[in-house]
Structure formats: C-alpha cells, structure tokens
Amino acid sequence: MNLFILSTGRAASTSLYFFLDKLFHLNLPSIKEPHFLIDTDFYDNKPKILSDLKVRSLEDYQKLYKNSKIIVDASVGYFFNIDEFLENLKKYNLNENSKIIYIFREPADRSKSLFIKQYLTGFEKGTNFKKAFNRKCNDKKYWWSYNYDNVNYNDNFIKLKNNFNEILLINYNFFNSIIKNNNKIFSDFLSLSVQNEAIPEKKKINSSDINNFFNKENFLNFLKKKGKLSKLLFLFKYYFKSIKVIILKIRIKNFSDDDYFENSKKQYKNFMNNIEKFKIYEGVYKINNK
C-alpha cells in the first residue's frame, strides 16, 4: 500500500509522518519528502537534501522504503503541483492501492505561521509581511516554502476525490486532540494494527526535558547534565527566538486578510462546505468511493 500525506506545509505533516511511523512501527526513512513525483529542477531555493537524494527513478524511490512496511510519502510540493503529482502517479502505476491523508489549515493563519518560520530561519530578512507576500507570490519559481497564498483546497480536493477511493481529511486545528485520543481512526483507515500507543513527545532541548523554563526543579536538573555551557547557549537561543516570535506575531496580527487571501478564503469556504457531509469526528472527514 502507498500512503500520500498532502498538505500545504505548516499543517503538521511532519508530525503526522513520524507519529504514524511510531504508532505502527513502519520503519520509515527519516526523509519524509523525496518529491519524486514532481519535477523539482524547475524551482529555485529548494532544499539541498533533494539534490543529495538523487531520486531519479522508480527504483531509487522504492529503495528509500525497502525496510518499511508501506510507502508513506509526505512531500509538501505535491499539494502545489497536484496535476503533475496525479499524472506521475499513473505513469508509475502508483495510483493503484494508494490512499490519501489530506491535512488542511485556515489559509491566512497558515500563511502567517509560514512567514514567522521563514523569518526565524533566516529566509525572510525583514518583518514586513505585506512586502514578502507580494514578492513571493509573484515568482512561481520559488519552492513551496515561499507560498504564502495559492491554497487551492477545494480544487485539489475535487481532483483527489476523482482519483482516489479512500481519503482521510484532517483539520489542523484539531490535530493534537486527534492523535492523542483517536488512534483507531488511523488504524481503520490504513488497515494496520497499532504497535505502539504513540504519544506526542514533550519539548526537548538538547535531549533534556524542559517542560517549563520557570520550573525551578526542572531547570536545576537541566543544569546537572553534561555540557552545561552548550546547553545554556542553546537555551538562550531557543527563548530568544520565542521572544522574536511574540514580537512578529504582534506586528502581523492586524494585517488585513481580505485583499491578500480572497481566492484562498473562497477556496477554503467552498472546501469546508463540500466536505461537511463526510464528517466522522470533530476535525476528521473520511471519503470512501469503493
């Protein structure tokens, strides 16, 4: 069986990938986004790992999963290149016996989250979201991680529904609740037995548990571990970034959504209306065309 996790990015596809790996002992590769089913040579600023992987043939692609129970491909670029993705699925005969998990997130919220990430990682040098939005959305050669708009949820949903028998749709806003309380949803959908009750991991800083920086006991235990200086530097950077996030969120909080997300919001509204009849749980929708 092949499972494709489609999402826009900043919608928990990475968390879901590793959650499923742990839940079912799938033994998946650490690289969750091989992007084999689209042509990545066209794009600028793509991740270096894609060039290093050199996945150029079906044989190369299948080798990535040679030790895995099933193929689970969570390449986010597929969402933004849905037609090419579907075309190559048929070309390589991977559409047979394949299932889709489709994760979605409200487009303006997703876009702002992406901008914050890009700022913190250095890809965005300034804090002017409006300027970044206009610049990146007008250049189609930018890799998916620069897509602040173009969230065609409904168009993509219709195409997927016409090409796959089984689709599980997950609302990002309910993601944490779903993976904590509803492992059976994934077990039933994938026809796999739960091997390990996967629980979302606590925040870790250099392998040291820090549930709360202001918790005296936790902090003292943290300082007892080896490599105090490097850990303190890491801790300082970690919380300095957190402060930057707070400041940036305040700056873009009142950014006018209407002029910039008109198409995406229409797509999102139509999409939510279309999937409502498939709801099986809060934030979960299931389609079975068999």
Side-chain angles (χ1 to χ4, degrees):
M1 182 183 69
N2 308 309
L3 172 66
F4 296 96
I5 301 174
L6 266 65
S7 77
T8 59
R10 304 307 294 163
S13 63
T14 300
S15 296
L16 180 60
Y17 179 85
F18 290 106
F19 170 79
L20 294 177
D21 186 29
K22 184 177 181 182
L23 186 67
F24 299 116
H25 285 187
L26 299 177
N27 198 28
L28 296 175
S30 59
I31 310 251
K32 79 174 185 83
E33 301 188 36
H35 283 93
F36 169 61
L37 294 167
I38 62 172
D39 179 12
T40 62
D41 291 335
F42 170 80
Y43 293 94
D44 294 332
N45 303 94
K46 66 185 178 187
K48 183 176 179 295
I49 186 62
L50 291 180
S51 300
D52 295 340
L53 270 176
K54 295 183 174 59
V55 181
R56 299 294 184 184
S57 67
L58 181 60
E59 183 180 3
D60 293 334
Y61 182 64
Q62 291 174 331
K63 278 182 181 178
L64 288 175
Y65 304 95
K66 64 180 180 181
N67 297 319
S68 306
K69 286 184 181 178
I70 62 173
I71 288 177
V72 181
D73 186 342
S75 300
V76 179
Y78 296 162
F79 177 92
F80 297 103
N81 299 270
I82 191 79
D83 293 326
E84 184 181 4
F85 164 69
L86 292 172
E87 181 181 339
N88 283 325
L89 269 177
K90 293 178 181 178
K91 174 183 175 181
Y92 293 107
N93 199 30
L94 291 173
N95 56 321
E96 296 295 328
N97 198 30
S98 289
K99 297 182 180 182
I100 295 288
I101 294 182
Y102 190 45
I103 316 177
F104 58 94
R105 181 177 182 178
E106 194 281 323
D109 182 49
R110 179 207 76 91
S111 184
K112 292 174 181 179
S113 174
L114 176 58
F115 177 71
I116 290 170
K117 177 190 175 184
Q118 296 298 77
Y119 174 71
L120 289 174
T121 52
F123 289 101
E124 287 291 354
K125 304 302 181 184
T127 57
N128 190 322
F129 181 53
K130 178 179 178 180
K131 183 177 179 180
F133 185 99
N134 287 328
R135 181 180 71 251
K136 298 298 169 61
C137 288
N138 289 330
D139 192 333
K140 303 304 181 185
K141 288 193 70 177
Y142 271 103
W143 186 240
W144 67 265
S145 55
Y146 291 92
N147 256 304
Y148 294 127
D149 197 13
N150 189 30
V151 184
N152 298 318
Y153 283 127
N154 197 54
D155 289 350
N156 285 5
F157 166 68
I158 292 170
K159 290 174 182 178
L160 291 172
K161 188 173 179 292
N162 290 335
N163 282 275
F164 293 93
N165 289 325
E166 296 181 80
I167 305 173
L168 190 69
L169 302 105
I170 298 175
N171 187 330
Y172 168 87
N173 291 337
F174 299 92
F175 179 77
N176 287 331
S177 173
I178 293 165
I179 64 175
K180 284 181 182 177
N181 304 309
N182 294 282
N183 290 346
K184 192 174 185 299
I185 289 174
F186 300 105
S187 180
D188 291 346
F189 182 70
L190 298 174
S191 300
L192 293 171
S193 299
V194 172
Q195 300 296 314
N196 180 40
E197 289 291 341
I199 299 173
E201 294 184 2
K202 299 174 183 177
K203 280 186 177 179
K204 291 187 176 181
I205 296 179
N206 279 15
S207 301
S208 298
D209 290 338
I210 299 290
N211 295 326
N212 185 345
F213 175 65
F214 299 104
N215 183 303
K216 183 179 178 181
E217 183 180 353
N218 281 342
F219 187 62
L220 290 175
N221 288 335
F222 173 74
L223 293 178
K224 289 178 183 178
K225 296 181 180 293
K226 294 180 180 180
K228 295 184 185 67
L229 182 59
S230 63
K231 290 178 184 295
L232 282 172
L233 287 172
F234 187 92
L235 189 66
F236 173 77
K237 291 179 181 178
Y238 180 85
Y239 283 98
F240 181 68
K241 280 188 174 182
S242 298
I243 293 170
K244 290 171 73 176
V245 166
I246 293 171
I247 294 171
L248 190 54
K249 282 183 176 179
I250 293 171
R251 286 179 177 173
I252 67 175
K253 180 180 179 181
N254 297 321
F255 178 80
S256 175
D257 295 342
D258 296 339
D259 294 338
Y260 293 88
F261 298 101
E262 183 178 2
N263 177 64
S264 288
K265 287 197 167 186
K266 283 181 180 177
Q267 284 273 332
Y268 187 69
K269 181 179 180 181
N270 292 336
F271 169 67
M272 294 303 294
N273 288 336
N274 283 337
I275 67 173
E276 183 58 32
K277 61 184 176 182
F278 301 109
K279 185 175 181 179
I280 62 170
Y281 184 80
E282 194 68 41
V284 183
Y285 310 78
K286 186 176 181 181
I287 295 168
N288 192 328
N289 291 323
K290 288 184 178 179

